[in-house]
Amino acid sequence: MIWKSENRKWKFGKKAWKSLFAKKLGLGMSDEDKIALVREPIANAALAECVRAGKDGATVTFDGHVRNESHGRATSYLEYEAYEAMAIAKMKEIAAQIHEKFAIDRVAMVHRLGRLDIGETSVFIAVSAPHRGAAFDACRYAIDTLKKTVPIWKKEFFADGAVWAEGELPPTPPSAKSAS
Amino acid sequence: MGYNFCMVQTAANVRVKVLFFGRLRELIGIAEESGELPEGTTLAQVFERYAERFPKLGGFRGSMVVSRNQEFAAWETRVAAGDEIAFLPPVSGG
């Protein structure tokens, strides 16, 4: 915090505070969308805050967290791993898609990796928009697409063993396109 | 470098990086390796080499996808110098 005593004005504007926030979250300095993979707990409230601007009338958030059971077995904890460079690229693609498909303002999309305990947030998405409909639709599209196309894997640990979650096969390009 | 990469060939070889993730990585105990392949090798053929080296990998061919340079790719795609190839089990993020 810097107090500019001579004219009694905050030296840090709104933008600077946002950047500071983003830096703390490990999200880079962009004032636009926030796309990240993190290994520490996701700062849900801060992310929801950083997408809202004056022109927005709604922010829709999706908070995906760790369930205490899987197919009737009590889960102890989960471990997530990712093909990190590609996962970030795919998450950015999703952000670009929802900007194109829906009348939204900003997107924050963060996935956590490593060990997660029951109840902890594994993925958090926040979408702001002038009107709620677009924010709802875009947020739904973003999480549904993330689960199908982003190279992240979940291993479920139980009291008596561990399994890789079944998952979904991402769509691949048609063969003809591959000749190059 | 894996021995399956050590080709005695007259055709030009290209250097590539190969990555495995999730259950595939666990199955063969390799996350990443680099090596040389004959130019024109398809991604399917790259996988076949690994399946020969690690027979238990073969059963997963139908339930995985492949990427080239961080884009999902068709199995018929041919490798080029400097490619980063990754074999990816079904994704389960979220």
Side-chain angles (χ1 to χ4, degrees):
Chain A
M1 253 188 249
I2 298 166
W3 184 258
K4 211 174 174 183
S5 56
E6 61 269 30
N7 57 9
R8 298 203 162 210
K9 272 188 184 154
W10 291 103
K11 198 175 176 183
F12 265 39
K14 195 180 170 193
K15 202 170 175 180
W17 280 112
K18 257 186 189 159
S19 294
L20 211 62
F21 234 160
K23 219 177 186 179
K24 253 189 142 174
L25 290 164
L27 298 176
M29 298 297 286
S30 165
D31 203 30
E32 300 301 320
D33 296 345
K34 318 287 185 193
I35 309 292
L37 296 170
V38 298
R39 292 186 175 272
E40 65 277 10
I42 298 173
N44 299 3
L47 282 173
E49 190 61 34
C50 79
V51 296
R52 63 194 289 168
K55 63 179 171 179
D56 300 322
T59 297
V60 170
T61 63
F62 175 79
D63 178 356
H65 36 77
V66 179
R67 186 169 43 233
N68 66 4
E69 63 88 29
S70 178
H71 301 103
R73 278 173 99 185
T75 304
S76 306
Y77 63 94
L78 301 182
E79 267 179 22
Y80 284 92
E81 75 171 61
Y83 181 2
E84 296 191 28
M86 184 172 172
I88 288 286
K90 290 287 153 195
M91 287 161 75
K92 285 182 175 168
E93 268 177 34
I94 294 170
Q97 284 169 19
I98 63 175
H99 276 293
E100 199 178 308
K101 288 175 189 285
F102 308 101
I104 59 165
D105 182 20
R106 290 181 193 166
V107 183
M109 193 186 308
V110 177
H111 203 296
R112 189 170 161 194
L113 303 177
R115 177 185 162 136
L116 275 78
D117 292 317
I118 308 302
E120 289 194 290
T121 295
S122 53
V123 60
F124 191 84
I125 300 174
V127 182
S128 63
H131 303 285
R132 70 185 183 283
F136 272 116
D137 293 346
C139 193
R140 176 69 192 255
Y141 180 93
I143 183 59
D144 288 352
T145 309
L146 180 148
K147 288 175 84 83
K148 277 184 230 147
T149 65
V150 177
I152 296 177
W153 299 273
K154 170 168 69 180
K155 193 172 185 181
E156 302 169 323
F157 290 80
F158 308 98
D160 57 347
V163 297
W164 288 97
E166 274 180 27
E168 297 197 46
L169 265 191
T172 45
S175 304
K177 210 176 140 191
S178 68
S180 64
Chain B
M1 188 198 296
Y3 63 78
N4 63 324
F5 278 127
C6 300
M7 302 286 297
V8 183
Q9 291 240 342
T10 48
N13 280 5
V14 292
R15 188 154 193 89
V16 300
K17 187 157 87 173
V18 182
L19 311 174
F20 291 88
F21 289 95
R23 72 186 78 195
L24 303 176
R25 170 184 57 73
E26 236 175 43
L27 192 70
I28 67 170
I30 294 172
E32 173 180 337
E33 68 179 12
S34 297
E36 293 197 352
L37 289 166
E39 200 168 12
T41 304
T42 65
L43 297 177
Q45 288 168 337
V46 178
F47 182 77
E48 280 315 308
R49 285 162 178 258
Y50 279 98
E52 278 167 28
R53 189 167 148 203
F54 304 99
K56 51 193 173 178
L57 199 59
F60 287 87
R61 173 65 166 76
S63 58
M64 58 186 283
V65 293
V66 61
S67 68
R68 174 174 170 255
N69 300 329
Q70 299 169 14
E71 285 291 346
F72 296 116
W75 288 99
E76 298 87 338
T77 309
R78 295 178 189 284
V79 301
D83 275 357
E84 181 174 292
I85 298 159
F87 295 108
L88 315 171
V91 301
S92 52

